[in-house]
Amino acid sequence: MATNQLLPLFLLALVAGSHAGSIAVYWGQNGNEGTLADTCSSGLYAYVILAFLTTFGNGQTPVLNLAGHCDPNAGTCTSLSSDIQSCQSQGVIVLLSLGGASGSYSLSSADDAQNVANYLWDNFLGGSSSSRPLGDAVLDGIDFDIEATNGDFFDDLAKDLAQFSSQGKKVYLTAAPQCPYPDAHLNTALQTGIFDYVWIQFYNNPPCQYSSGSIDNLTGAWSTWISSVTATNFFLGLPASTDAAGSGYIPPDVLTSQVLPAIKGTANYGGIMLWNRYYDEQNNYSATVKDSV
């Protein structure tokens, strides 16, 4: 009798869970944010994005910058290999982010894009190289956080990376455009329609972010994005604390009571993205909102 009474509740939980979103977080730009392994074992995140490969393209030697965590030039970032594998064993998707707000990156041609794709495959994905910065671990994909250049040839880079999925393990493609549509740097790449996850930065962009108690600019921009770009899922990108961005912070109670109810009905809603793990740990943001995402 007790089992029969529990069954409807179980089915209800399944239905509710089918619409639940996930949390993505950027890790790597603050040496005080804890280890990658601890970030994943927190149970808060479905996606962890390593930030950043700050230099690449145009004939430059690529540079990985993980702030205070390790020094790739000294080979100490290979120690992250076991952390990455630990994350993946828990079902967390681990990605490498290209670009960032500061760096030296651009693509000069389609051939240049192919060269960068080959470099990423051999050094971070399923290929092989004698100098893999993160060791033997095979990352799950590549994130495009392109905040400079005019975006030329990043569509080629995306397509070149997608081709590697045919060699076995899927290569996830994700992107972090700014919320004003179209994004000045990523529009060409996003128009390929081959990105899995798009985490839109709804911060440091007053025309399309939450402000002064109003969600109208945000929900309007969200609607524009999901109707203009093809992707598997879209995520609401947010600062994890007031210190994480110049503007756009949404208090947890506002997120759960106003913002999420307005966008979660979207068929391809995926969840939220947070910048970054350090601020999230300080502010306990994802732990506070997780059950509502």
Side-chain angles (χ1 to χ4, degrees):
M1 185 68 175
T3 304
N4 288 339
Q5 289 174 330
L6 286 172
L7 187 58
L9 292 175
F10 172 70
L11 290 174
L12 280 173
L14 274 181
V15 172
S18 67
H19 297 285
S22 301
I23 301 178
V25 72
Y26 280 83
W27 178 94
Q29 284 300 296
N30 192 306
N32 297 315
E33 65 195 332
T35 67
L36 179 60
D38 286 347
T39 298
C40 293
S41 63
S42 71
L44 295 169
Y45 314 112
Y47 311 92
V48 175
I49 310 143
L50 310 183
F52 293 103
L53 190 76
T54 54
T55 300
F56 63 88
N58 205 23
Q60 300 176 97
T61 300
V63 175
L64 177 68
N65 180 329
L66 295 177
H69 289 288
C70 59
D71 179 1
N73 290 327
T76 57
C77 295
T78 57
S79 63
L80 289 172
S81 193
S82 59
D83 282 31
I84 294 166
Q85 291 163 342
S86 171
C87 292
Q88 292 169 328
S89 72
Q90 297 168 69
V92 178
I93 290 176
V94 185
L95 308 155
L96 173 66
S97 186
L98 309 181
S102 60
S104 173
Y105 53 87
S106 64
L107 297 173
S108 59
S109 65
D111 285 345
D112 190 24
Q114 183 68 67
N115 289 337
V116 171
N118 292 343
Y119 169 82
L120 293 170
W121 172 254
D122 288 338
N123 287 276
F124 295 100
L125 300 170
S128 59
S129 165
S130 60
S131 58
R132 289 173 67 92
L134 300 175
D136 293 336
V138 177
L139 296 179
D140 295 296
I142 301 295
D143 176 61
F144 287 45
D145 184 14
I146 307 305
E147 302 186 29
T149 84
N150 60 6
D152 283 354
F153 307 109
F154 279 90
D155 53 337
D156 293 296
L157 179 59
K159 288 183 280 191
D160 293 339
L161 288 167
Q163 291 295 317
F164 288 120
S165 290
S166 65
Q167 299 193 28
K169 181 177 176 178
K170 174 180 171 59
V171 175
Y172 285 89
L173 293 179
T174 68
Q178 312 291 315
C179 60
Y181 184 85
D183 184 87
H185 314 292
L186 279 167
N187 186 56
T188 305
L190 289 169
Q191 290 305 318
T192 62
I194 60 175
F195 281 77
D196 296 287
Y197 309 124
V198 178
W199 12 79
I200 306 157
Q201 297 186 45
F202 284 91
Y203 50 94
N204 296 333
N205 286 295
C208 50
Q209 69 191 25
Y210 170 82
S211 61
S212 306
S214 172
I215 68 170
D216 294 345
N217 289 346
L218 184 153
T219 55
W222 177 269
S223 296
T224 298
W225 273 96
I226 64 172
S227 62
S228 305
V229 171
T230 299
T232 305
N233 289 116
F234 292 88
F235 290 68
L236 182 72
L238 300 171
S241 77
T242 54
D243 294 329
S247 61
Y249 177 72
I250 303 178
D253 61 319
V254 175
L255 181 74
T256 57
S257 68
Q258 297 181 44
V259 179
L260 291 180
I263 67 172
K264 281 186 71 172
T266 310
N268 45 8
Y269 165 81
I272 65 172
M273 172 275 279
L274 295 176
W275 176 267
N276 60 23
R277 168 60 177 167
Y278 173 76
Y279 296 110
D280 190 28
E281 196 171 34
Q282 297 295 305
N283 197 34
N284 216 31
Y285 196 90
S286 60
T288 304
V289 305
K290 188 175 193 297
D291 291 342
S292 299
V293 172

